[in-house]
Amino acid sequence: SSTDSYERGPERLGAFDPSAQAAVFAVVPRGSRVDLKAYLNTRLIADQAHRARVCTVFERVGVSPLQSETAYDALYDLGLGARFAGVGVDVDGTSRAKMYVRVDTEHAQVLEQNVGNRMGVRLPEEFFPFPKDILAREVEVAVALRAEGAPAIKLTFFFAAQEDRTRVRAAIEGFL
């Protein structure tokens, strides 16, 4: 019954850090309007497999199940140790959602190429704008899907904290 499910629900959270974020809401100024974005921690909902939970979020913004399942599988199917980072939804009517994973920097290029190939996004052959030795050990890879339109791939690079700022600055300037 639903009461039984409710009583067991809070017990399921015992394995999580009490400070785990359930959701983050961001207000993003865009000229004369303001966009609202929601970032959801789908790991906290334990009643179905993670893939199904993530794909349900995408379906709610109008993305086809096939497209969301393809994106999810492209992020996880190579055994590169991709770690779930979150799901983001544009709540401003644009019908866009993103799924984020983190992967070791050494695997990021292979993962981005796999995602690009599976999602039909043509990426440059060697797109890695910074020398790997100045980067932190993780890169965030995201796939953004819309009900209408082509998918997008987003890479977020983090610089190693101990790295020489002069090299980091030169790498950024070289890219720009």
Side-chain angles (χ1 to χ4, degrees), residues 122-154:
R122 187 182 165 138
L123 297 168
E125 217 31 61
E126 290 291 324
F127 182 73
F128 217 78
F130 305 110
K132 291 181 185 175
D133 67 329
I134 67 170
L135 296 175
R137 88 180 160 82
E138 289 184 318
V139 173
E140 187 173 83
V141 179
V143 176
L145 302 174
R146 296 179 183 276
E148 301 287 328
I153 299 172
K154 173 186 161 198

Side-chain angles (χ1 to χ4, degrees), residues 145-162:
L145 302 174
R146 296 179 183 276
E148 301 287 328
I153 299 172
K154 173 186 161 198
L155 301 172
T156 303
F157 297 93
F158 305 94
F159 294 107
Q162 74 279 4

Side-chain angles (χ1 to χ4, degrees), residues 85-130:
V87 174
V89 179
D90 293 352
V91 190
D92 58 8
T94 61
S95 299
R96 182 177 78 159
K98 292 177 276 202
M99 61 181 88
Y100 299 84
V101 299
R102 296 235 175 147
V103 66
D104 291 347
T105 301
E106 66 188 72
H107 300 306
Q109 262 183 303
V110 172
L111 181 61
E112 75 164 321
Q113 289 296 329
N114 184 58
V115 172
N117 290 339
R118 297 278 299 274
M119 300 306 301
V121 176
R122 187 182 165 138
L123 297 168
E125 217 31 61
E126 290 291 324
F127 182 73
F128 217 78
F130 305 110

Side-chain angles (χ1 to χ4, degrees), residues 50-108:
H50 188 254
R51 180 178 186 256
R53 293 191 303 264
V54 169
C55 292
T56 296
V57 172
F58 281 82
E59 289 170 31
R60 290 188 181 191
V61 298
V63 173
S64 76
L66 177 61
Q67 193 175 25
S68 62
E69 291 166 1
T70 299
Y72 186 94
D73 293 345
L75 288 169
Y76 288 106
D77 73 351
L78 291 181
L80 296 175
R83 297 167 294 283
F84 175 76
V87 174
V89 179
D90 293 352
V91 190
D92 58 8
T94 61
S95 299
R96 182 177 78 159
K98 292 177 276 202
M99 61 181 88
Y100 299 84
V101 299
R102 296 235 175 147
V103 66
D104 291 347
T105 301
E106 66 188 72
H107 300 306

